[in-house]
Structure formats: C-alpha cells, structure tokens
C-alpha cells in the first residue's frame, strides 16, 4: 500500500509569489491535515479536510488556503509569500478524523522563500 | 485549554542504555495518544498509538504507556542504538478534528 506522497519535494520562490503544494493520501483515507514546521515554532497545525470540507483551521492568515478533491487528494496554496513562510510543510492522512485515528505523514515539501 | 509538554527537550545517552521519554498533558479528556519519530528534514513516522481505554502498547524495543489520571505518557526504548537518534514527538488525539502535538524530545545515542 503506497504511503502519503507530497509534491513537489523542494521549492524555491521569491517574496510576493504564490505557491501550490499537493498531497495524495493513503488510498481509502478520507482526512488530510496540513502542518507547517519551522525550527523556531515547531509543528503548527494549518487545517484539516475531511470529505472535501475544511473541518478545522489553525491560527494562520488568510494567505494560507487549501482544498480537497473528491478522490481525497488535497492542495494547499500560499499567496503573497513572505520570508517567514520558509518551512517544511507536512501533510498527514487518516482513515477517520485526525483526532480519533492514526495519522500517517508524508515526507514533506521544503519551501524556501528568497 | 489542553497543553502538551515533553521533557527533556534533548537527551544524549550511550549505546545500549534503556531510556524513557516523557509526555504530559493537562486535560485527561483525550481520545488517543500517538508517538512519532522524526529524522532531520523528514516527515513523521508513526511508532505507537494508544487508545484512551488502553494502558500500554508495545512494538519491538518500544513500549508506550498511558496514565490519563496523572496526565502522563512515557515512551520506553530498550537497548538504545545509534539508529534511534531522532526527534520523538507525542500527539494527543482530542477527538473530532483536533490533534495537539508536543514540542518533541531530541534524542542522540552515542556509539
């Protein structure tokens, strides 16, 4: 069974640009959660999607958005990039909700904003 | 508000030593508790998940315990190896769409 995949693995952007990251969950999983990880702030929750609907959202500005498709694949978008958005972006999938089932993480997308 | 604390923040031990990592939480109303391992620059790997009705789970050299009444979970690693060097995070499943992560313990096992 294939694990959680994330594309691209590495990205370099400049300030003001926008970026779209993709996450393909484990087959059959319905929930996808997104996290931002930085050395200073640790792992921070962005949002969770379940059955194509955003169910929970962390404390991030509106520049961060996401969506989930009918096949459970998810994308997150960051507009008007800032230097502080440089981070490892992780997605996790679970069969049920993140708060009740085992979460499986992808390898992450390393975003660098210059 | 649920808070999760992992102590110590960093730990260095010689190879072969048995060790315990700690995770404490303030609200006992949890659904489950999950332990993860993260290697530098990589994603998180699930190690063990304990349901709130369980007291412990074991996998190989790893044993995780849960005591909801005292708000504590421990991850016991037997006969540590250099390959165990990583950051270990605990995460509380609070039910619904809510998971709360600790800041992690960085473990270094010296050969």
């Amino acid at each position: 069974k294939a694990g959680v995949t994330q594309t691209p693995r590495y990205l370099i952007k400049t300030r003001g640009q926008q970026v779209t990251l993709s996450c393909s969950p484990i087959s059959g999983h319905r929930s996808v959660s997104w996290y931002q990880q930085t050395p200073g702030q640790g792992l921070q929750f962005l949002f969770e999607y379940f059955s194509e609907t955003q169910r929970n959202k962390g404390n991030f500005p509106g520049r961060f958005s996401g969506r989930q498709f009918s096949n459970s694949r998810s994308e997150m978008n960051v507009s008007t990039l800032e230097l502080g958005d440089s981070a490892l972006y992780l997605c996790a999938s679970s069969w049920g909700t993140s708060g009740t089932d085992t979460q499986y993480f992808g390898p992450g997308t390393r975003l660098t904003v210059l | 508000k649920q808070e999760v604390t992992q102590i110590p923040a960093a730990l260095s031990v010689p190879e072969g030593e048995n060790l315990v990592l700690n995770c404490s939480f303030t609200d006992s109303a949890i659904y489950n508790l999950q332990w993860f391992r993260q290697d530098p620059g990589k994603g998180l790997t699930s190690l063990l998940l304990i349901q709130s009705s369980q007291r412990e789970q074991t996998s190989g050299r790893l044993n995780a315990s849960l005591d909801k009444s005292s708000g504590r979970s421990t991850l016991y690693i037997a006969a540590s190896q250099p390959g165990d060097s990583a950051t270990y995070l605990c995460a509380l499943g609070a039910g619904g769409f809510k998971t709360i992560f600790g800041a992690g313990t960085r473990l270094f096992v010296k050969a």
Side-chain angles (χ1 to χ4, degrees), chain A residues 21-88:
Chain A
L21 312 182
S22 180
C23 174
S24 292
I26 291 172
S27 178
H29 283 193
R30 298 172 292 172
S31 169
V32 173
S33 298
W34 288 90
Y35 298 86
Q36 181 195 68
Q37 188 175 40
T38 59
Q41 298 295 322
L43 195 66
Q44 296 189 87
F45 171 74
L46 281 157
F47 26 66
E48 178 174 358
Y49 285 86
F50 185 90
S51 296
E52 301 179 63
T53 303
Q54 187 181 94
R55 305 293 182 145
N56 196 8
K57 189 177 190 302
N59 188 26
F60 278 82
R63 300 185 297 107
F64 292 81
S65 63
R67 59 178 175 168
Q68 186 181 34
F69 302 95
S70 58
N71 61 359
S72 293
R73 188 177 70 85
S74 178
E75 290 180 347
M76 67 163 281
N77 184 276
V78 188
S79 62
T80 319
L81 284 166
E82 300 176 359
L83 295 179
D85 297 333
S86 295
L88 180 66

Side-chain angles (χ1 to χ4, degrees), chain B residues 21-75:
Chain B
L21 307 181
N22 296 292
C23 173
S24 62
F25 47 95
T26 54
D27 186 346
S28 63
I30 66 172
Y31 200 91
N32 59 42
L33 188 144
Q34 193 167 1
W35 282 94
F36 292 91
R37 165 191 173 134
Q38 185 177 30
D39 294 290
K42 303 290 180 63
L44 279 65
T45 300
S46 177
L47 297 174
L48 292 164
L49 180 135
I50 311 175
Q51 301 290 353
S52 65
S53 59
Q54 298 175 318
R55 295 299 299 269
E56 65 178 334
Q57 284 285 344
T58 298
S59 176
R61 295 184 294 110
L62 306 178
N63 175 277
S65 69
L66 175 64
D67 183 346
K68 289 198 305 178
S69 62
S70 65
R72 287 189 63 200
S73 176
T74 61
L75 179 66

